[in-house]
Amino acid sequence: MGKGGQDYGRKENPIPDASDRETYKAWAKEVRECEEHFKVKVKSGLSTEEFENRRKIHGFNELEKHEGQSIWSLILDQFNDTLVRILLGAAIISFVLAWYDGDEGGEMEITAFVEPLVIFLILIVNAIVGVWQESNAEKALEALKEIQSEQASVIRDGVKVLSIPAKDLVPGDVVELKVGDKVPADMRVVELISSTLRLEQGSLTGESEAVNKTNKPVAADSDIQGKRCMVFAGTTVVNGNCICLVTQTGMGTEIGKVHMQIHEASQSEDDTPLKKKLNEFGEKLTMIIGLICILVWLINVKYFLTWEIVDGWPRNFKFSFEKCTYYFEIAVALAVAAIPEGLPAVITTCLALGTRKMAQKNALVRKLPSVETLGCTTVICSDKTGTLTTNQMAVSKLVAIGPNVDTLRAFKVEGTTYSPADGKIDNWPTGKLDANLQTLAKIAAICNDAGVSQSEHKFVAHGMPTEAALKVLVEKMGLPSDARSATKNTLLRCCDWWNEQDRRIATLEFDRDRKSMGVIANSGLGKNSLLVKGAVENVLERSSKIQLRDGSIVKLDNNARNLVLQALHEMSTSALRCLGFAYKDEIPKFEDYDGSDDHPAHQLLLNPSNYSSIESDLIFVGLVGLRDPPRGEVYNAIEDCRAAGIRVMVITGDNKNTAEAICREIGVFSPNEDISSKSLTGKDFMELRDKKAHLKQDGGLLFSRAEPKHKQEIVRLLKEEGEVVAMTGDGVNDAPALKLADIGIAMGIAGTEVAKEASDMVLADDNFSTIVAAVGEGRSIYNNMKAFIRYMISSNIGEVASIFLTAALGIPEGLIPVQLLWVNLVTDGPPATALGFNPPDKDIMKKPPRRSDDSLIDLWILFRYMVIGIYVGLATVGVFIIWYTHGSFLGIDLSGDGHTLVTYNQLANWGQCSSWTNFTASPFTAGARVLSFDADPCDYFQTGKVKAMTLSLSVLVAIEMFNSLNALSEDGSLLTMPPWVNPWLLLAMSVSFGLHFLILYVPFLAQVFGIVPLSFNEWLLVLVVALPVILIDEILKFVGRCTSGSQARRSKQKSE
């Protein structure tokens, strides 16, 4: 539509926004009143001068271009996260301290700068991903502009201008529409040039078939579907041509309102349930880190601030800035240890793997967080047309005449698509069509302007969907037994054969008065016949005879007429659209008509008012019932939703009776259920006093004749009640609600680009059951994410406990920040990611959805991981102390490297080493190096701690690998869920141990991380200290199972 959106708002005399001014109700006014209101004559249109004046007032006929967030604003938003802010603060402080210590050079300089730079790198990558995702958010608005018309045929200054840019239309312009045109603005139909006018407006209103339009006014309070004298921007003319008067342009049109609703919905997007929980966790973590840092500071204040008590008052304060900085670094190390830095990367990886799994099930995820959101869906608000149904008209029942006038034959027709091979006709006399069925097939094939073609893997209708369905019916009916000449291998082979037998030479177009269409066909034997199809009551009223099964013709008496009307009533109450078929061989004025203009009878065909008299004294043949059929797999999918505790609400723009019949058939309502309180029109719902009470009803709900604003309101109210809402849709009218819902799901085949761009997920097969499969996958992914989040958090608790014990006991620092960062990011990453491959529970779709306030970590789980964390702290600090104070441990000799043993008291007071007399430290081997301390024996507790630090780090890594086995199941023992149920986890553990060996045995990396290679005995010590973590958690799981089992029994007894 060009760049007009940039000019919007630069008008000389801007009018109020469409939503702020009262709309002129042109649909309720006569044409003359509309001309007076818009100060225009339909015959002459606007003058050029008047057009220029109105353009200054109303601006261009195009949609606003909303200014999106600036790139800097988007970048800053990525840091509006508690965990990220803590991490950013820790990185800045680490960088400042590294800069301060930079003058010392050497190893510590390299080590100190690695930590802040890696954290900054994580934050930058996280911000890039976030900005990329959010910059795609407004594409739905751009897609909406694509469906607008670019050209229009307009009358100006009394002259028809065949093509002007549609953006130049203003209210009051007179526009001509013809078949195939896309409507350029909202317009009032003022004159029908053809006898009938039909528009396809389903993408805007949700109606399942093309709509007949008129120039007669309708009620002022009509809903959008009821405005039969209005045509709307973006819809398409499928039949007829007319003259229209522009009433609304740009943002004032119905599509403009949708544009505004999409924009508003995009402004109110909420965080996903998981992000909310992680933010809550981050806030609690901030408090915990703050308290622990203060506690560590208070415990160690004696080391950098001393004083003497003189006369009862503290005097002679001594402050050591160097030691103050050292303990500040410990506090920073605590922050690094407490934050699971690898969590964002692992979550993104798990979600990305989830999208691949869902893609295999035909669910294409456009936004990663949607994978997790699906898992906690509590309500699915589904559109009917195209989602629960095929959006393809199909004949479902055929009623033919029996052997006598008092009997009818009914055939059930299977199939839900335009594929001739989709389904068959029950009890069909294949190859033995009687005369009555042959006549019915002939009329359906010849009195028909539609076509069907195959496009890739789907079948597409051309023309009216009902007529395309009739052609598919003819193919299923087959040919008469004597039709041997039909050898063409075409898609519509039978229809082609009938059209070869009887050549169509004239058409009596459908009109809204007689409600039928007729054709004059020549059999090739010089005989013409009239074939008619249309509304059953009208065709029956103009019929005087009826054809029996054997082809004989008898009088159509009242009994036969009532029998047909009874069949019609039964089919209509089942929400079938019915068409009747009739013919006559005797058409006196057209006996020798050959279609030429100079034939006397040709003049009769030029005047549609003659059609009713031509189509009189007909011979009635039978009738068919058509519908937009439900998808075959939807019924079971609805049952699965019910078992999973997910409510299904159907929100459609279609007719109430049709929607109710479909809902009963697919299981939203039971066949005999009283649905008077559960089925409302969108207008009725908006008039309810207590809308939330209506939405809280158990079971399914139906909202028919729903407009975009109704859908949005329903989604908004459900979200206010704490529901996690998935909304499905395919049309433009669905886009605002898709944007507002927790997860918007668009149709990939039948869906408009607007709907797809507004959605979080696209169904490649347009199938409702795919949503249910995706929900199951989402639940499995969430459970696995919960497993690795708990695993990573429990690991971090252990690291915090380790640093806290180190500070509390006063021993040298056993783990430095860069080592903790390596463990959190690299070593923990593979096992955490592998936990995302845990097999799903077999009964995952038999459980109710988790509550939105369901916490990631309950009190019992927190207690369990506190116990595990304390053990990690004791183990990492304990092995550090063991190396310094023991020559052997549990029979494992540790004296092989020749290091000096000290007492625990010496180790805890290592800061006073310089005041010790006769303290010496022997040289010892650390890998290929020999460390000696002749110059400064006290350096044994600084440079000399490298072996003890390596043991602490190795114990931490080993414990966390074994702890990942504990995370396979929340409560299940490793005896019932052994490690090989998830072979990816065993592979990930191997990778993590491999990475640890890499930094141990590659000299450069060992220098960066401040560690040295270990001997065989030292590795034995690591395993002995690490393995008990499995036994401890097995005991805790057993206690948990016993406790939960007794609680379940007690609750069962109470319920009984």
Side-chain angles (χ1 to χ4, degrees):
M1 284 296 294
K3 58 180 177 41
Q6 298 164 5
D7 299 319
Y8 197 99
R10 300 187 202 157
K11 303 165 256 186
E12 292 179 15
N13 300 303
I15 60 172
D17 185 85
S19 58
D20 298 332
R21 64 180 187 271
E22 187 175 345
T23 303
Y24 177 68
K25 297 180 178 179
W27 58 89
K29 309 294 183 184
E30 294 288 350
V31 174
R32 177 183 48 78
E33 294 177 273
C34 293
E35 286 182 314
E36 290 174 0
H37 177 82
F38 289 101
K39 298 180 175 59
V40 67
K41 290 294 180 184
V42 171
K43 297 297 180 186
S44 58
L46 295 175
S47 65
T48 303
E49 182 183 359
E50 182 61 23
F51 157 70
E52 294 292 348
N53 291 336
R54 294 192 186 192
R55 225 259 298 271
K56 290 176 182 176
I57 298 171
H58 296 279
F60 287 105
N61 171 36
E62 50 193 10
L63 303 179
E64 280 183 11
K65 184 175 178 63
H66 293 286
E67 288 296 325
Q69 277 186 282
S70 68
I71 191 70
W72 290 112
S73 172
L74 285 172
I75 291 170
L76 289 174
D77 279 352
Q78 306 313 309
F79 294 89
N80 188 23
D81 180 280
T82 312
L83 283 175
V84 170
R85 285 199 296 263
I86 299 171
L87 205 53
L88 183 63
I92 291 170
I93 294 167
S94 297
F95 195 84
V96 171
L97 292 173
W99 191 273
Y100 171 77
D101 291 335
D103 292 337
E104 296 176 15
E107 297 174 16
M108 289 306 295
E109 183 179 2
I110 297 169
T111 303
F113 275 109
V114 167
E115 177 201 333
L117 291 176
V118 169
I119 296 178
F120 281 133
L121 182 63
I122 295 166
L123 296 177
I124 290 167
V125 171
N126 183 59
I128 290 170
V129 172
V131 168
W132 175 74
Q133 281 192 341
E134 290 186 32
S135 64
N136 288 329
E138 294 306 306
K139 283 193 176 178
L141 300 180
E142 295 303 314
L144 198 59
K145 295 178 182 179
E146 293 298 319
I147 71 168
Q148 290 181 284
S149 173
E150 294 190 2
Q151 301 293 322
S153 177
V154 67
I155 298 173
R156 293 248 177 93
D157 296 313
V159 178
K160 184 191 290 187
V161 183
L162 289 178
S163 183
I164 67 162
K167 69 174 185 177
D168 287 337
L169 291 178
V170 295
D173 258 327
V174 180
V175 174
E176 181 180 350
L177 292 177
K178 56 185 183 301
V179 175
D181 282 353
K182 195 173 277 187
V183 180
D186 284 6
M187 303 189 288
R188 169 72 158 86
V189 179
V190 294
E191 181 185 340
L192 294 182
I193 298 174
S194 59
S195 58
T196 184
L197 176 69
R198 292 183 195 172
L199 273 87
E200 174 55 64
Q201 58 183 40
S203 65
L204 183 64
T205 64
E207 291 162 295
S208 57
E209 56 190 57
V211 178
N212 284 310
K213 295 292 182 178
T214 177
N215 62 349
K216 301 289 191 294
V218 296
D221 61 349
S222 297
D223 54 21
I224 187 171
Q225 294 91 342
K227 296 174 182 175
R228 298 297 190 193
C229 59
M230 295 291 294
V231 292
F232 304 105
T235 61
T236 306
V237 181
V238 294
N239 178 253
N241 58 326
C242 65
I243 302 294
C244 300
L245 180 66
V246 176
T247 59
Q248 295 287 343
T249 59
M251 295 301 291
T253 61
E254 291 296 331
I255 206 172
K257 293 173 187 174
V258 170
H259 181 279
M260 183 58 69
Q261 289 164 352
I262 292 174
H263 177 68
E264 289 170 357
S266 68
Q267 301 302 303
S268 60
E269 287 186 354
D270 295 330
D271 288 337
T272 65
L274 180 67
K275 188 170 183 187
K276 288 176 184 175
K277 293 183 179 72
L278 288 175
N279 282 342
E280 290 168 9
F281 169 71
E283 288 165 9
K284 291 174 184 174
L285 188 64
T286 307
M287 292 172 58
I288 293 167
I289 290 172
L291 289 171
I292 293 175
C293 286
I294 292 168
L295 197 56
V296 168
W297 198 275
L298 291 174
I299 289 170
N300 292 289
V301 72
K302 61 185 178 183
Y303 295 114
F304 58 84
L305 182 62
T306 58
W307 59 85
E308 297 174 2
I309 303 297
V310 180
D311 299 329
W313 293 93
R315 309 275 185 190
N316 303 328
F317 287 95
K318 291 181 180 178
F319 177 74
S320 170
F321 183 75
E322 185 181 349
K323 287 188 176 180
C324 176
T325 306
Y326 173 76
Y327 286 106
F328 188 66
E329 286 177 346
I330 289 179
V332 172
L334 263 173
V336 172
I339 304 167
E341 291 91 351
L343 191 56
V346 175
I347 287 176
T348 301
T349 305
C350 184
L351 292 176
L353 292 171
T355 63
R356 290 186 62 187
K357 287 184 184 177
M358 288 188 176
Q360 292 167 1
K361 297 182 178 181
N362 289 318
L364 310 177
V365 177
R366 297 181 68 249
K367 298 174 185 175
L368 279 184
S370 309
V371 177
E372 176 270 328
T373 309
L374 263 175
C376 53
T377 299
T378 59
V379 177
I380 297 176
C381 293
S382 178
D383 182 37
K384 178 187 75 70
T385 308
T387 309
L388 301 173
T389 64
T390 62
N391 198 22
Q392 298 185 17
M393 294 298 287
V395 175
S396 64
K397 191 172 184 180
L398 184 155
V399 177
I401 314 304
N404 55 64
V405 77
D406 295 327
T407 57
L408 298 177
R409 296 175 292 162
F411 299 94
K412 181 182 177 184
V413 185
E414 297 174 352
T416 58
T417 67
Y418 292 125
S419 168
D422 179 17
K424 62 183 190 312
I425 306 176
D426 289 354
N427 303 316
W428 190 248
T430 307
K432 297 179 181 178
L433 291 187
D434 53 60
N436 178 235
L437 293 176
Q438 287 185 39
T439 307
L440 203 151
K442 179 167 74 171
I443 299 170
I446 301 172
C447 188
N448 196 318
D449 290 324
V452 175
S453 64
Q454 188 171 3
S455 174
E456 295 178 356
H457 302 298
K458 58 181 178 177
F459 292 83
V460 182
H462 305 285
M464 294 296 294
T466 50
E467 293 193 332
L470 291 178
K471 287 213 166 178
V472 173
L473 171 68
V474 173
E475 298 305 310
K476 292 177 181 177
M477 292 174 75
L479 293 171
S481 56
D482 58 348
R484 300 300 179 197
S485 60
T487 57
K488 284 186 181 178
N489 191 22
T490 59
L491 189 64
L492 300 177
R493 184 176 65 95
C494 299
C495 291
D496 291 344
W497 186 85
W498 283 112
N499 277 282
E500 287 173 4
Q501 302 304 305
D502 287 64
R503 185 175 62 88
R504 179 166 147 182
I505 56 176
T507 302
L508 285 68
E509 288 184 354
F510 176 94
D511 68 47
R512 61 185 180 279
D513 294 323
R514 76 184 205 285
K515 295 183 179 176
S516 64
M517 169 193 176
V519 297
I520 297 173
N522 183 280
S523 65
L525 302 173
K527 185 179 180 182
N528 289 347
S529 58
L530 175 66
L531 311 179
V532 179
K533 76 170 191 302
V536 179
E537 302 98 318
N538 297 59
V539 173
L540 198 63
E541 186 181 334
R542 297 200 300 276
S543 298
S544 58
K545 302 181 185 73
I546 188 167
Q547 183 191 50
L548 302 183
R549 183 170 67 181
D550 60 3
S552 58
I553 311 299
V554 299
K555 183 182 178 183
L556 179 64
D557 58 21
N558 285 335
N559 287 338
R561 195 180 299 272
N562 290 335
L563 194 63
V564 172
L565 290 174
Q566 184 181 343
L568 170 65
H569 177 72
E570 290 173 2
M571 292 162 74
S572 298
T573 52
S574 300
L576 296 182
R577 183 185 178 194
C578 299
L579 287 176
F581 297 87
Y583 77 103
K584 70 175 179 178
D585 290 327
E586 304 297 328
I587 39 175
K589 294 180 181 178
F590 295 90
E591 280 181 351
D592 58 348
Y593 178 63
D594 58 0
S596 61
D597 295 352
D598 53 0
H599 192 281
H602 185 73
Q603 296 302 313
L604 295 173
L605 297 176
L606 298 179
N607 186 356
S609 62
N610 295 323
Y611 292 174
S612 292
S613 60
I614 297 171
E615 292 177 355
S616 61
D617 199 25
L618 299 172
I619 302 167
F620 190 78
V621 174
L623 65 154
V624 297
L626 306 96
R627 62 171 179 165
D628 176 11
R631 295 177 179 274
E633 57 285 332
V634 167
Y635 184 88
N636 289 334
I638 298 279
E639 287 298 307
D640 290 343
C641 284
R642 194 171 283 118
I646 300 170
R647 290 195 294 153
V648 177
M649 298 182 184
V650 179
I651 310 175
T652 178
D654 211 351
N655 178 276
K656 185 176 182 182
N657 292 337
T658 304
E660 286 180 353
I662 292 291
C663 284
R664 287 189 190 278
E665 188 172 348
I666 63 177
V668 174
F669 304 131
S670 59
N672 301 313
E673 184 179 353
D674 177 13
I675 58 172
S676 55
S677 64
K678 294 189 172 186
S679 173
L680 297 178
T681 63
K683 186 178 176 183
D684 291 340
F685 173 73
M686 296 299 281
E687 291 172 357
L688 289 177
R689 287 186 179 179
D690 193 348
K691 299 183 185 71
K692 288 184 178 179
H694 180 78
L695 294 174
K696 285 179 182 176
Q697 293 180 83
D698 291 335
L701 294 177
L702 169 64
F703 302 92
S704 49
R705 309 293 281 184
E707 298 179 25
K709 61 185 178 184
H710 302 152
K711 296 183 179 187
Q712 270 188 294
E713 180 69 2
I714 291 166
V715 171
R716 186 185 64 79
L717 291 171
L718 286 169
K719 288 177 71 175
E720 282 183 6
E721 288 299 294
E723 304 281 6
V724 179
V725 183
M727 172 77 195
T728 77
D730 59 350
V732 175
N733 60 325
D734 299 316
L738 289 174
K739 198 75 175 169
L740 185 62
D742 292 295
I743 175 162
I745 304 169
M747 303 299 109
I749 300 172
T752 59
E753 284 304 310
V754 185
K756 290 176 191 176
E757 292 295 347
S759 68
D760 303 292
M761 191 173 90
V762 177
L763 301 184
D765 58 358
D766 285 15
N767 199 326
F768 182 84
S769 62
T770 301
I771 303 171
V772 182
V775 168
E777 193 64 48
R779 288 186 176 188
S780 173
I781 289 166
Y782 177 78
N783 288 344
N784 292 344
M785 286 172 71
K786 206 157 65 166
F788 68 64
I789 288 169
R790 288 170 174 170
Y791 159 67
M792 295 189 86
I793 290 170
S794 70
S795 300
N796 285 73
I797 291 172
E799 292 166 18
V800 170
S802 176
I803 293 172
F804 182 77
L805 281 171
T806 300
L809 297 175
I811 62 175
E813 184 184 20
L815 293 167
I816 57 176
V818 73
Q819 293 171 349
L820 294 172
L821 197 64
W822 172 262
V823 171
N824 287 353
L825 277 176
V826 182
T827 315
D828 283 357
T833 305
L835 286 169
F837 289 95
N838 280 353
D841 297 339
K842 291 179 181 177
D843 61 346
I844 198 161
M845 285 301 284
K846 303 295 181 188
K847 298 175 181 177
R850 69 182 190 271
R851 300 193 315 273
S852 56
D853 59 351
D854 181 25
S855 61
L856 275 173
I857 302 174
D858 58 31
L859 286 174
W860 168 247
I861 297 293
L862 181 63
F863 172 76
R864 257 176 59 186
Y865 288 133
M866 286 296 288
V867 172
I868 296 294
I870 290 168
Y871 178 75
V872 173
L874 289 171
T876 50
V877 173
V879 80
F880 188 93
I881 294 171
I882 287 168
W883 186 82
Y884 266 106
T885 60
H886 290 68
S888 67
F889 185 76
L890 296 179
I892 301 170
D893 182 20
L894 303 175
S895 60
D897 58 4
H899 72 279
T900 302
L901 299 180
V902 297
T903 65
Y904 172 74
N905 188 53
Q906 286 176 308
L907 185 63
N909 294 284
W910 66 277
Q912 300 170 20
C913 172
S914 58
S915 63
W916 298 345
T917 55
N918 301 323
F919 176 73
T920 58
S922 304
F924 71 90
T925 57
R929 298 161 56 196
V930 177
L931 301 178
S932 61
F933 311 98
D934 296 336
D936 180 10
C938 292
D939 196 33
Y940 182 53
F941 298 105
Q942 286 284 68
T943 308
K945 69 178 180 178
V946 63
K947 179 68 73 71
M949 279 176 63
T950 305
L951 285 167
S952 285
L953 180 62
S954 298
V955 165
L956 180 63
V957 169
I959 284 182
E960 296 195 0
M961 292 306 100
F962 296 141
N963 197 28
S964 68
L965 296 176
N966 292 332
L968 271 171
S969 174
E970 189 173 318
D971 288 312
S973 168
L974 281 172
L975 298 174
T976 57
M977 186 173 273
W980 49 86
V981 299
N982 185 350
W984 292 104
L985 181 59
L986 297 178
L987 178 64
M989 289 171 65
S990 304
V991 170
S992 290
F993 271 126
L995 290 169
H996 185 61
F997 291 148
L998 189 71
I999 64 169
L1000 274 177
Y1001 296 103
V1002 174
F1004 168 72
L1005 293 175
Q1007 179 183 338
V1008 170
F1009 287 95
I1011 52 179
V1012 292
L1014 297 178
S1015 68
F1016 177 76
N1017 278 10
E1018 287 159 350
W1019 271 115
L1020 279 179
L1021 176 65
V1022 168
L1023 293 175
V1024 165
V1025 174
L1027 276 169
V1029 75
I1030 293 178
L1031 182 61
I1032 293 169
D1033 202 49
E1034 283 290 306
I1035 294 168
L1036 290 169
K1037 284 181 178 179
F1038 176 74
V1039 172
R1041 289 196 299 273
C1042 293
T1043 307
S1044 61
S1046 61
Q1047 285 176 347
R1049 284 193 295 273
R1050 281 198 297 271
S1051 61
K1052 187 177 179 181
Q1053 288 169 357
K1054 285 180 182 177
S1055 63
E1056 290 173 352

